[in-house]
Amino acid sequence: NALDGSQNPALLCESVVNTDEVAGKIALVNRGTCFFEEKTHNAEAAGAIAVIICNYDDNAIGMLGTAEEDPTIPAISLSSSDCARLRMALANGETVTASIGIPEDSGPLTVSSGFDNGIIAHEYGHGISNRLTGGPTADGCLFNDEQMGEGWSDLFTIMLTHRPDDSAETPRGIGTYADRQAADGRGIRRRPYTSDLDVNDHDLDDIIGTTAPHPLGEVWATAVWDLYWRMIDLYGYDPDLINGTGGNNKTIQLMMDGMKFQSCNPGFEDARDALFTADAINYDGIHECLIWEVFARRGIGYSMDQGSRFDRNDNVKAFDVLPTCLQELKIAKTASSDLVEAGATVEYTLVVTNHKEEAVTGVIVEDELPDGLSYNAGSVTGATVEDLGDRLRFDLGTLAAGDDLTITYTVTTDVNRPSVTQFFDGLENGDQNWDFEAPSGFEIWGQTTNNVFAGDRAWFVRNTGETNDQRLIMREPITVTGNNPTLRFYHDYDTQPAADGGYVQISRDGGTVWEDVPEAFIRNGYRGELLAPTLFQPGIQVFWGNSNTYVGSYIDLTAYQGETIVVRFRWASDDETPGIGWYVDNFEIMDKVAYEGEACVMSNEGDMACDRVAQGGVIIESNISVNTEEVVRDPEVLQVYPNPAGDRLNIALTSGINGQLSVELVSVNGQVVRQWTEAQLPGQLLPLDVSDVPAGFYVVKVNTERGIFSEKVTISR
């Protein structure tokens, strides 16, 4: 494996760093980002004698030359699955040798498919699946966009040609004989069938963005093939395909009966659930949890969402199993809201469930109260509570098998601890903070008033049926400070699934090297991978599909603490089906305040489980830093309404404050946009005219005889 010093070292677009391992050997590198000649040139400079360039798809490709470099060593392309085998051998310390030349048994590249028994079995399989699906009177129930007919046919082929010495990891291809490949070759599918995730990593997302029926079948057949081998692990293999009782026989029976029980035009969820029905009828449901485990491994788990069975692009994968299959004592913690103002009340819900087969005794729950949260005495329901200061303790006693118990209580957040805005751009001031790059395409980023999160404007890039690579880049770098630095932006997207999408990149050096940050998302992260041909690079995580509305995404910037960074939004599309595009609004870097206390349950039997509120806990809404220790937020002293406000804003103060006031309306970037000096209170209510103030987020600062008080307000039109 030849590696460079970049964020994606296997691409070898920069100089080799492991020259000692490369010199005198064949260098293994990945396709993507830079030209083939550049990769080969870098390998040759490190002493490599040849280069294998691994494709991101499971086929080899021709490699046209366009770069300035002119290496002299040979280079070939290999499929991703072939490269996976090479890398596995290298990881095991094996020595791999290779040669480039014409095989001794050279002859026709392909032979007639009529001589390939696997292809014949596959085609016969269509007759079976079409006649069984939808009931005995139907024979046209596999024509919807999510039907899996090709998968069942592939399964007939690989099950009927199983050899006794095969294993779950043995690759099995379709059409290998017709393509003059070995039986363990890839054949005519994207991946060979195997339970080895290094060779076949298909999951539910791999049907999205496809158009032919075969990719649907590949993913379905991969999951059922995994089940086939798990059943063989339980019951062994029986070569008698008619009267046998092995795990292979039982899986074939489940598959055949599952087709009978599924509805006409089934989707993945329908077909999976039909297997449960078949298992319940044939085997009293004893394999239910095994089936859940197998399908969850491929993203077809308990929480997956099939969407419409007439649309393969709206599935949402999940890797969890039926909860009762995990026979444990469990706890789940949720909050009434995951984003609140400082000083707000939050209700927590704790659900304790005993999924063990026996009762548990001495059950205790302890839930942390992080600094800044105040427990509201008397608010608990469902259990008795002991307030220990930094945590609450609940004594539940005995919990019978299968029972659950729900506890709720409320807390109040610290009114003086909002998240602090360090940089904010509501995108109302044109492009003063942003630059553009358009390496390809003409649909550049622009401002729109048609769909905004707040204020009057948002950034927008259109999703046309054309190739685009468009970048929106911060003009001035910003230094990351604070205890919990976080980037937040609101966005709304509707794109061609998998093929078109947007993502965020960060640069530490002013824009020379850009880093992808998929693992840094705290909330509302990427939908999935972008198809490799869109940017000729695999594995890029992006926002694609339909968010349905504006969502707030949060990126943890702790890794950049103390550094100066630049952020950019990058949009990529291919030259096929268009969508609507990507809207971005309210870009903010803040020092985030969040409450992420952990709740744990314990028992006398030694059980212990813990949980937190998902997606970063309860986040406290940001408030501008007004750079004075005198400023205090106190809703019992200062109230601002209506909020959001239109043309008029009312300031209400407690009756204990008298005299003249000084009022400022401050934008979130620190500018004073309006002032009312020596204002008199007509009673305890001061009406202010804000009809000429642009829509957006502001802070009202009121200077009184008792100090300076502040409150955040939104002005909308």
Side-chain angles (χ1 to χ4, degrees):
N1 290 306
L3 305 172
D4 64 27
S6 70
Q7 187 184 13
N8 295 304
L11 292 174
L12 210 70
C13 292
E14 300 177 11
S15 298
V16 174
V17 295
N18 60 333
T19 54
D20 291 345
E21 299 176 18
V22 171
K25 299 183 178 66
I26 299 173
L28 195 65
V29 304
N30 284 344
R31 178 189 176 191
T33 302
C34 59
F35 293 111
F36 300 119
E37 295 97 329
E38 293 179 65
K39 300 172 187 290
T40 307
H41 172 78
N42 290 334
E44 184 176 18
I49 59 173
V51 173
I52 295 175
I53 298 178
C54 299
N55 194 13
Y56 41 68
D57 290 327
D58 212 19
N59 60 287
I61 61 166
M63 299 185 292
L64 298 177
T66 54
E68 295 180 0
E69 288 82 0
D70 189 18
T72 61
I73 61 174
I76 63 169
S77 168
L78 280 187
S79 68
S80 59
S81 60
D82 286 336
C83 283
R85 292 190 223 177
L86 293 179
R87 287 201 163 97
M88 190 185 311
L90 293 175
N92 292 333
E94 300 176 32
T95 299
V96 179
T97 59
S99 63
I100 301 175
I102 300 174
E104 294 181 2
D105 61 344
S106 60
L109 293 178
T110 59
V111 297
S112 171
S113 61
F115 293 110
D116 190 324
N117 284 337
I119 291 178
I120 301 302
H122 171 100
E123 300 305 336
Y124 270 108
H126 284 300
I128 297 172
S129 59
N130 275 303
R131 284 165 174 79
L132 292 184
T133 298
T137 62
D139 61 1
C141 284
L142 291 177
F143 292 96
N144 57 308
D145 191 51
E146 201 173 306
Q147 62 87 13
M148 295 143 285
E150 298 292 342
W152 284 299
S153 286
D154 280 0
L155 286 163
F156 283 122
T157 292
I158 55 180
M159 288 177 177
L160 291 174
T161 56
H162 177 154
R163 295 176 178 176
D165 57 348
D166 286 344
S167 71
E169 290 74 31
T170 302
R172 297 295 311 280
I174 302 296
T176 53
Y177 178 80
D179 254 9
R180 288 178 58 83
Q181 299 177 23
D184 62 354
R186 178 178 66 89
I188 54 178
R189 300 290 181 253
R190 291 178 291 175
R191 302 278 190 277
Y193 290 112
T194 171
S195 295
D196 186 343
L197 291 175
D198 289 328
V199 178
N200 184 335
D201 60 355
H202 277 326
D203 65 31
L204 186 61
D205 265 5
D206 288 304
I207 71 173
I208 295 175
T210 63
T211 55
H214 299 93
L216 292 164
E218 291 169 10
V219 176
W220 175 255
T222 296
V224 178
W225 189 238
D226 288 349
L227 176 62
Y228 179 86
W229 283 103
R230 289 295 304 278
M231 293 287 281
I232 289 174
D233 288 343
L234 279 179
Y235 300 107
Y237 171 74
D238 193 329
D240 184 350
L241 299 182
I242 306 301
N243 301 305
T245 58
N248 55 318
N249 306 94
K250 295 182 189 301
T251 307
I252 293 172
Q253 191 66 58
L254 286 174
M255 183 177 77
M256 297 288 283
D257 290 343
M259 285 188 275
K260 299 174 188 177
F261 296 133
Q262 67 196 7
S263 61
C264 189
N265 296 317
F268 270 64
E269 188 174 355
D270 301 319
R272 180 203 66 192
D273 291 351
L275 291 176
F276 291 124
T277 302
D279 185 58
I281 292 173
N282 289 320
Y283 308 115
D284 295 325
I286 62 174
H287 307 111
E288 180 183 30
C289 289
L290 183 148
I291 296 171
W292 276 118
E293 181 183 341
V294 167
F295 277 81
R297 185 171 181 255
R298 299 290 181 174
I300 316 172
Y302 177 72
S303 300
M304 67 88 70
D305 184 356
Q306 174 179 284
S308 169
R309 52 203 169 99
F310 298 96
D311 183 359
R312 71 181 71 189
N313 293 318
D314 64 351
N315 287 272
V316 178
K317 66 183 177 181
F319 296 91
D320 57 337
V321 301
L322 181 72
T324 53
C325 290
L326 298 176
Q327 296 183 353
E328 302 168 347
L329 181 63
K330 303 169 185 174
I331 187 168
K333 181 177 181 178
T334 57
S336 55
S337 178
D338 58 10
L339 178 65
V340 300
E341 297 281 349
T345 296
V346 177
E347 181 178 75
Y348 285 115
T349 299
L350 309 175
V351 178
V352 180
T353 306
N354 180 18
H355 278 149
K356 298 175 68 175
E357 294 182 340
E358 64 280 342
V360 287
T361 62
V363 179
I364 298 292
V365 171
E366 289 192 353
D367 195 5
E368 292 178 330
L369 287 176
D371 185 35
L373 284 187
S374 299
Y375 162 62
N376 296 325
S379 64
V380 171
T381 65
T384 57
V385 63
E386 182 181 1
D387 185 354
L388 301 177
D390 62 345
R391 65 194 186 280
L392 300 178
R393 181 184 175 95
F394 307 92
D395 188 349
L396 308 187
T398 299
L399 204 59
D403 277 4
D404 59 59
L405 185 111
T406 300
I407 304 167
T408 66
Y409 69 93
T410 65
V411 295
T412 299
T413 61
D414 188 340
V415 69
N416 294 315
R417 292 187 61 189
S419 298
V420 178
T421 299
Q422 298 170 326
F423 176 87
F424 180 87
D425 187 356
L427 310 178
E428 302 297 308
N429 299 316
D431 60 358
Q432 68 176 22
N433 291 320
W434 302 91
D435 286 321
F436 311 89
E437 288 180 357
S440 64
F442 302 97
E443 291 295 332
I444 66 172
W445 285 89
Q447 290 207 318
T448 181
T449 59
N450 292 330
N451 179 28
V452 302
F453 174 73
D456 294 324
R457 299 182 182 184
W459 285 107
F460 174 62
V461 60
R462 195 179 310 278
N463 183 191
T464 62
E466 299 172 349
T467 300
N468 272 287
D469 183 1
Q470 302 291 336
R471 296 110 182 246
L472 179 66
I473 309 168
M474 283 181 66
R475 182 166 294 164
E476 298 295 333
I478 185 168
T479 301
V480 178
T481 60
N483 296 319
N484 296 293
T486 304
L487 165 61
R488 176 173 69 178
F489 60 97
Y490 287 88
H491 58 134
D492 184 5
Y493 53 90
D494 187 347
T495 84
Q496 180 191 3
D500 304 336
Y503 60 113
V504 179
Q505 294 180 298
I506 295 176
S507 175
R508 305 171 191 255
D509 60 4
T512 301
V513 177
W514 292 95
E515 300 176 8
D516 300 333
V517 290
E519 304 302 324
F521 276 87
I522 300 168
R523 182 173 296 176
N524 294 323
Y526 294 130
R527 171 60 182 85
E529 288 190 6
L530 188 70
L531 293 179
T534 301
L535 288 176
F536 298 101
Q537 184 176 334
I540 301 175
Q541 294 285 325
V542 302
F543 298 108
W544 56 251
N546 192 342
S547 64
N548 295 310
T549 186
Y550 268 95
V551 295
S553 289
Y554 295 72
I555 298 175
D556 182 7
L557 297 180
T558 303
Y560 302 93
Q561 213 158 24
E563 298 186 61
T564 299
I565 65 169
V566 177
V567 179
R568 77 178 179 186
F569 294 90
R570 187 173 180 183
W571 167 260
S573 63
D574 65 4
D575 58 357
E576 296 182 359
T577 310
I580 293 176
W582 192 19
Y583 299 86
V584 176
D585 204 352
N586 278 28
F587 177 92
E588 181 177 10
I589 294 177
M590 66 172 76
D591 187 7
K592 174 177 62 68
V593 173
Y595 298 105
E596 303 180 70
E598 184 177 59
C600 295
V601 60
M602 298 148 279
S603 75
N604 288 339
E605 287 72 28
D607 302 286
M608 183 169 181
C610 300
D611 193 33
R612 300 173 183 267
V613 175
Q615 295 194 318
V618 177
I619 295 176
I620 304 302
E621 185 56 276
S622 60
N623 204 343
I624 186 171
S625 174
V626 290
N627 299 320
T628 173
E629 296 180 357
E630 298 177 302
V631 173
V632 177
R633 292 189 68 225
D634 190 343
E636 294 184 1
V637 176
L638 170 67
Q639 294 182 352
V640 178
Y641 66 91
N643 193 1
D647 294 337
R648 184 171 297 277
L649 183 64
N650 296 309
I651 306 296
L653 293 169
T654 182
S655 59
I657 294 179
N658 299 297
Q660 293 182 333
L661 307 173
S662 173
V663 181
E664 291 181 344
L665 189 65
V666 184
S667 69
V668 290
N669 60 11
Q671 296 177 332
V672 177
V673 297
R674 288 293 305 273
Q675 280 185 305
W676 295 268
T677 58
E678 298 183 358
Q680 297 285 339
L681 281 173
Q684 297 307 124
L685 185 68
L686 177 62
L688 303 174
D689 181 6
V690 292
S691 59
D692 60 343
V693 176
F697 293 113
Y698 297 89
V699 171
V700 176
K701 291 172 54 182
V702 183
N703 193 338
T704 75
E705 61 182 7
R706 286 175 49 183
I708 301 175
F709 297 87
S710 69
E711 187 59 71
K712 185 162 63 176
V713 65
T714 301
I715 296 178
S716 60
R717 299 286 181 253

